[in-house]
């Protein structure tokens, strides 16, 4: 009777244990399963008794324990989709091995929380803000990599040490964690690290169920980073406002290309490619409209600064009273009418990039002195500020004036001229490089035809007239004329008579035409327009009201070398 009671009591004890217990005999048949083991194996009936353990756990090693008598402790296995730690032990009776017992501990939740803990540690470690954690007594528990980077302290010298000790050793001038322990609330302070760097620290208390502080998590941010962000915000705001200013303009014009065939321009481009990689100051000279801005674009985009700001300033377009504040910026309250927050100058906006000072000959003498200092010392000082700021900028100056004459008349400083003239590039006028006229005509005429989706052509005679023209306005004049011809001439085939009078008057070709030649020129225009609008020469002849053979004869007589479209 007592044996039965003891057996039942033992079974109740095993069933109350949280860990699963499995007992098998020497034939690998299940002798006993407690409640936890049944739950783990999803067994709800009693048909398990006497069954082979491998029918429930195919990968079980209990038969091996029965066979060899070897015990295994703390082996991690997967049972019914759950992570478990298993202890396996052989069972003996009177010195004989009669079976084996396994104790299973379900560690799935522990694994989950462990993985979650690892993820949280990773998140904290890769936070861009510094993280500093102390326990409820003020002893350092952990710091992340960002904190090490911000402060220069290694975590090994901080973890395990009390905040009072660290303050006393000069690591910090004051501890936000100690203040949080005293006041039991979130606190932000300005903290000096190592007597050198200022940071903003915010201590956040973490309370336990009893309302006591369990730990304090402090976030740390380098103020210098905030200042950089503020500067970037100011720059972004200034860039967005620049589009409203008439003296600044974009560099993304799709028609800004260097088109050349002349030896003069090829030599110039080779020089640009040679000097672009260096931050040397460049002075661009040449008459108005030759393309100084295009050369400046090329210098910037071929340089290592191509992904940095490229600021263009027309010194002649800004009123003299505003030029200084626009170039150098000012502090708040620097003068009456100044923005309350101050303003970043164009030189600062161009930091690490390039600034082009167009029409440099128009710069007032008072500002020439300041520009000379920028070139010499590579730093600027805002109006109303006592501090100078270092800059890394490349300056490209441009002018269509003779600076030597301006120096002689006292309107330009000779020392500034020689500072700007480190590399001087002269862009020759179009009249000195006639080889470039034809490719420029083709490029800009084609560009505007595509831009406005208009199909037109320049007649060979028109091209001849344009090539004989002296182009006093240089490339700018040529570009503007091509746009005008594309949009304002109704005919598809542009003849010399469609050109402005001042261009035709300089050409012998148009003025010496006889009446018969002018009539033939008009006839050619009608024929070519009919060909453009017709799918074939035969249809063009029908449109013109003439025989197909007559049209062929006319085309042969005119010695046409190209047709407007293939047939």
């Amino acid at each position: 009777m007592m044996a039965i009671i003891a057996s039942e009591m033992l079974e109740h004890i095993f069933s109350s244990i949280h860990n699963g217990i499995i007992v098998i005999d020497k034939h690998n048949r299940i002798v006993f399963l407690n409640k936890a083991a049944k739950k783990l194996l999803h067994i709800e009936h009693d048909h398990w008794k006497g069954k082979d353990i491998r029918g429930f756990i195919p990968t079980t090693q209990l038969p091996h324990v029965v066979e060899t008598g070897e015990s295994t402790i703390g082996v991690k296995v997967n049972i019914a989709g759950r992570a478990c730690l298993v202890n396996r032990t052989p069972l003996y009776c009177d010195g004989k091995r009669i079976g084996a017992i396994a104790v299973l501990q379900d560690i799935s939740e522990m694994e989950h929380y462990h993985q979650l803990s690892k993820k949280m540690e990773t998140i904290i470690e890769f936070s861009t803000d510094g993280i500093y954690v102390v326990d409820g007594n003020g002893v350092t528990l952990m710091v992340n990599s960002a904190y090490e980077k911000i402060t220069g302290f290694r975590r090994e010298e901080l973890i395990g040490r009390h905040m009072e000790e660290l303050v006393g050793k000069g690591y910090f001038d004051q501890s936000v964690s100690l203040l949080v322990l005293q006041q039991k609330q979130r606190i932000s302070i300005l903290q000096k690290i190592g007597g050198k760097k200022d940071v903003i620290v915010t201590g956040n208390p973490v309370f336990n169920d009893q309302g006591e502080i369990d730990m304090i998590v402090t976030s740390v941010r380098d103020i210098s980073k905030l200042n950089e962000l503020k500067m970037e915000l100011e720059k972004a705001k200034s860039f967005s406002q620049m589009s409203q200013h008439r003296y600044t303009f974009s560099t993304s014009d799709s028609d800004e290309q260097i088109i050349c065939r002349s030896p003069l321009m090829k030599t110039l481009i080779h020089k640009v490619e040679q000097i672009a990689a260096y931050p040397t100051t460049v002075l661009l000279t040449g008459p108005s409209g030759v393309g100084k801005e295009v050369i400046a674009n090329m210098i910037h985009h071929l340089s290592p600064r191509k992904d940095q700001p490229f600021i263009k300033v027309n010194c002649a377009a800004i009123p003299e009273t505003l030029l200084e504040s626009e170039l150098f910026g000012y502090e708040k309250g620097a003068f009456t009418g100044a923005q309350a927050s101050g303003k970043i100058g164009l030189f600062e906006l161009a930091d690490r990039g390039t600034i082009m000072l167009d029409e440099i000959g128009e710069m007032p003498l008072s500002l020439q002195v300041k520009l000379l200092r920028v070139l010499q010392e590579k730093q600027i000082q805002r109006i109303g500020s006592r501090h100078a700021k270092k800059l890394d900028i490349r300056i490209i100056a441009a002018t269509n004036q003779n600076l030597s004459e301006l120096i002689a008349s006292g309107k330009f400083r000779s020392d500034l001229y020689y500072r700007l003239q480190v590399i001087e590039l002269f862009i020759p006028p179009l009249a000195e490089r006639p080889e470039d006229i034809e490719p420029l005509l083709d490029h800009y005429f084609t560009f505007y035809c595509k831009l406005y989706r208009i199909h037109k052509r320049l007649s060979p005679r028109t091209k001849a007239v344009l090539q004989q023209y002296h182009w006093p306005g240089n490339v700018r004049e040529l570009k503007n004329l091509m746009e005008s011809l594309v949009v304002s001439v109704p005919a598809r085939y542009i003849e010399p008579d469609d050109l402005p009078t001042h261009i035709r008057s300089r050409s012998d070709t148009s003025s010496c035409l006889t009446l018969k030649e002018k009539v033939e020129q008009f006839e050619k225009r009608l024929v070519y327009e009919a060909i453009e609008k017709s799918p074939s020469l035969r249809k063009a002849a029908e449109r013109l009201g003439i025989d197909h053979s007559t049209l062929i004869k006319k085309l042969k007589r005119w010695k046409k070398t190209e047709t407007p479209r293939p047939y």
Side-chain angles (χ1 to χ4, degrees):
M1 185 70 177
M2 290 296 293
I4 295 174
I5 294 174
S7 176
E8 290 179 353
M9 184 177 295
L10 192 61
E11 185 172 347
H12 285 306
I13 292 172
F14 284 154
S15 294
S16 301
I17 294 175
H18 179 72
N19 293 337
I21 296 176
I22 302 175
V23 181
I24 64 172
D25 62 18
K26 62 181 180 179
H27 301 294
N28 302 323
R29 294 177 298 211
I30 302 174
V31 176
F32 177 79
L33 290 179
N34 73 346
K35 186 177 180 181
K38 292 178 185 178
K39 182 178 179 182
L40 183 62
L41 297 175
H42 305 293
I43 296 175
E44 298 179 353
H45 50 75
D46 290 333
H47 300 323
W48 53 268
K49 293 180 179 180
K51 302 290 184 181
D52 194 307
I53 184 62
R54 288 169 292 195
F56 296 91
I57 309 176
T59 58
T60 181
Q61 294 297 309
L62 274 178
H64 179 73
V65 175
V66 173
E67 182 180 349
T68 63
E70 296 177 358
S71 298
T72 56
I73 306 296
V75 178
K76 186 176 177 181
V77 297
N78 189 289
I79 298 176
R82 308 284 289 183
C84 299
L85 282 181
V86 180
N87 296 339
R88 307 184 189 98
T89 308
L91 285 178
Y92 290 92
C93 182
D94 298 329
K96 294 182 179 180
R97 195 180 311 129
I98 62 170
I101 182 170
V103 179
L104 315 176
Q105 182 181 3
D106 187 349
I107 59 169
S108 297
E109 291 187 7
M110 292 171 59
E111 286 281 297
H112 171 72
Y113 288 120
H114 177 70
Q115 291 175 7
L116 186 61
S117 175
K118 293 287 289 184
K119 287 180 181 179
M120 292 302 297
E121 287 180 12
T122 302
I123 291 170
I124 292 171
E125 184 64 19
F126 284 95
S127 169
T128 54
D129 283 351
I131 304 293
Y132 195 110
V133 183
V134 303
D135 64 16
N137 296 316
V139 176
T140 306
L141 295 177
M142 70 166 292
V143 299
N144 68 348
S145 296
Y147 185 86
E148 290 182 306
K149 185 175 180 181
I150 291 170
T151 63
F153 301 147
R154 292 179 296 107
R155 63 187 74 189
E156 290 82 4
E157 56 186 308
L158 300 172
I159 293 175
R161 300 176 70 177
H162 199 280
M163 295 306 295
E164 287 183 352
E165 178 191 358
L166 294 172
V167 171
K169 294 285 186 180
Y171 282 85
F172 331 106
D173 61 333
Q174 57 179 329
S175 168
V176 72
S177 300
L178 296 178
L179 293 174
V180 172
L181 284 172
Q182 294 171 5
Q183 302 181 28
K184 300 188 184 307
Q185 62 181 6
R186 177 179 178 177
I187 297 175
S188 294
I189 62 171
L190 185 66
Q191 188 181 69
K192 189 172 286 293
I193 302 293
K196 298 176 182 178
K197 181 179 287 187
D198 289 327
V199 295
I200 291 177
V201 295
T202 301
N204 296 277
V206 178
F207 296 96
N208 59 24
D209 295 338
Q210 289 73 42
E212 299 172 344
I213 292 179
D214 191 42
M215 67 176 70
I216 299 166
V217 180
T218 300
S219 62
V220 183
R221 176 164 290 186
D222 193 342
I223 293 180
S224 60
K225 294 292 183 185
L226 291 177
N227 289 337
E228 287 177 13
L229 291 173
K230 180 182 177 183
M231 180 64 72
E232 290 301 320
L233 184 61
E234 286 183 15
K235 281 189 176 183
K237 184 179 178 181
S238 298
F239 278 126
S240 67
Q241 293 172 344
M242 282 173 63
S243 59
Q244 305 171 13
H245 299 166
R246 63 186 180 197
Y247 49 85
T248 57
F249 34 89
S250 171
T251 65
S252 59
D253 293 342
S254 58
D255 60 323
E256 279 198 353
Q257 296 182 30
I258 296 181
I259 310 296
C260 70
R261 189 181 290 165
S262 65
L264 280 175
M265 285 303 291
K266 287 181 179 179
T267 301
L268 176 66
I269 290 170
H270 179 71
K271 186 75 171 177
V272 168
E273 291 172 342
Q274 183 180 351
I275 60 101
Y278 306 99
T280 316
T281 302
V282 179
L283 176 62
L284 302 177
T285 60
S288 180
V290 292
K292 293 187 286 293
E293 182 189 342
V294 178
I295 296 297
N297 286 344
M298 184 179 181
I299 293 172
H300 176 73
H301 291 296
L302 288 178
S303 76
R305 301 166 181 262
K306 61 181 175 139
D307 297 323
Q308 298 300 327
F310 184 19
I311 308 296
K312 300 179 182 180
V313 187
N314 188 330
C315 298
I318 311 176
E320 185 176 336
T321 53
L322 297 178
L323 187 56
E324 181 178 8
S325 62
E326 291 294 338
L327 288 177
F328 296 93
Y330 54 81
E331 298 293 339
K332 58 182 180 180
F335 51 84
T336 304
Q339 293 182 16
S341 59
K343 184 176 181 180
I344 187 171
L346 295 173
F347 278 119
E348 283 188 72
L349 282 176
D351 193 21
R352 298 192 300 277
T354 306
I355 186 166
M356 178 184 179
L357 301 174
D358 201 7
E359 304 293 350
I360 190 69
E362 301 293 333
M363 180 173 283
L365 282 168
S366 58
L367 281 188
Q368 291 180 28
V369 178
K370 285 198 167 189
L371 177 58
L372 182 62
R373 188 178 304 120
V374 173
L375 287 166
Q376 290 174 337
E377 302 173 7
K378 295 296 183 184
Q379 61 182 23
I380 61 105
Q381 189 168 328
R382 289 188 184 185
I383 300 173
S385 174
R386 296 181 181 179
H387 306 288
K389 179 178 180 180
K390 284 284 185 182
L391 292 181
D392 173 19
I393 56 173
R394 179 181 203 162
I395 295 178
I396 300 175
T399 182
N400 57 10
Q401 300 186 60
N402 189 321
L403 293 183
S404 298
E405 292 180 0
L406 292 179
I407 291 170
S409 61
K411 295 181 180 178
F412 202 84
R413 295 180 61 97
S414 60
D415 49 2
L416 176 58
Y417 171 68
Y418 293 121
R419 277 285 180 181
L420 294 172
Q421 197 203 17
V422 178
I423 294 176
E424 182 172 353
L425 300 178
F426 174 73
I427 298 96
L430 205 50
E432 294 182 14
R433 44 188 177 106
E435 304 96 328
D436 294 337
I437 294 175
E438 184 180 4
L440 285 168
L441 288 172
D442 292 339
H443 169 72
Y444 285 114
F445 190 81
T446 302
F447 171 78
Y448 286 115
C449 282
K450 288 181 178 178
L451 180 65
Y452 299 123
R453 298 180 181 178
I454 299 174
H455 186 68
K456 292 187 178 182
R457 286 186 177 276
L458 293 171
S459 73
R461 192 186 297 270
T462 304
K463 268 192 178 182
V465 172
L466 292 172
Q467 285 181 275
Q468 293 175 19
Y469 181 55
H470 67 295
W471 298 104
N474 294 295
V475 180
R476 184 184 294 128
E477 181 186 8
L478 183 149
K479 177 182 174 183
N480 292 341
L481 177 62
M482 292 303 99
E483 183 176 12
S484 174
L485 293 176
V486 168
V487 301
S488 65
V489 176
R492 286 182 176 269
Y493 213 71
I494 297 171
E495 296 290 353
D497 286 341
D498 297 316
L499 297 176
T501 307
H502 71 279
I503 294 179
R504 280 186 285 120
S505 64
R506 290 183 170 270
S507 169
D508 297 330
T509 7
S510 60
S511 58
C512 296
L513 290 177
T514 64
L515 177 61
K516 183 180 179 181
E517 289 171 331
K518 288 187 176 182
V519 170
E520 186 176 54
Q521 190 181 81
F522 181 68
E523 184 184 13
K524 285 169 68 176
R525 175 183 292 183
L526 294 177
V527 168
Y528 290 143
E529 284 186 5
I531 292 173
E532 290 278 352
K533 295 176 181 177
S534 304
S536 66
L537 290 178
R538 193 172 296 280
K539 290 291 184 183
E542 290 178 9
R543 181 187 287 269
L544 291 167
I546 61 176
D547 290 336
H548 176 252
S549 59
T550 303
L551 177 58
I552 297 296
K553 289 176 184 178
K554 285 182 182 290
L555 292 175
K556 286 181 178 179
R557 189 175 74 250
W558 293 334
K559 296 179 180 179
K560 181 173 174 57
T561 58
E562 60 176 358
T563 54
R565 57 190 291 183
Y567 297 99

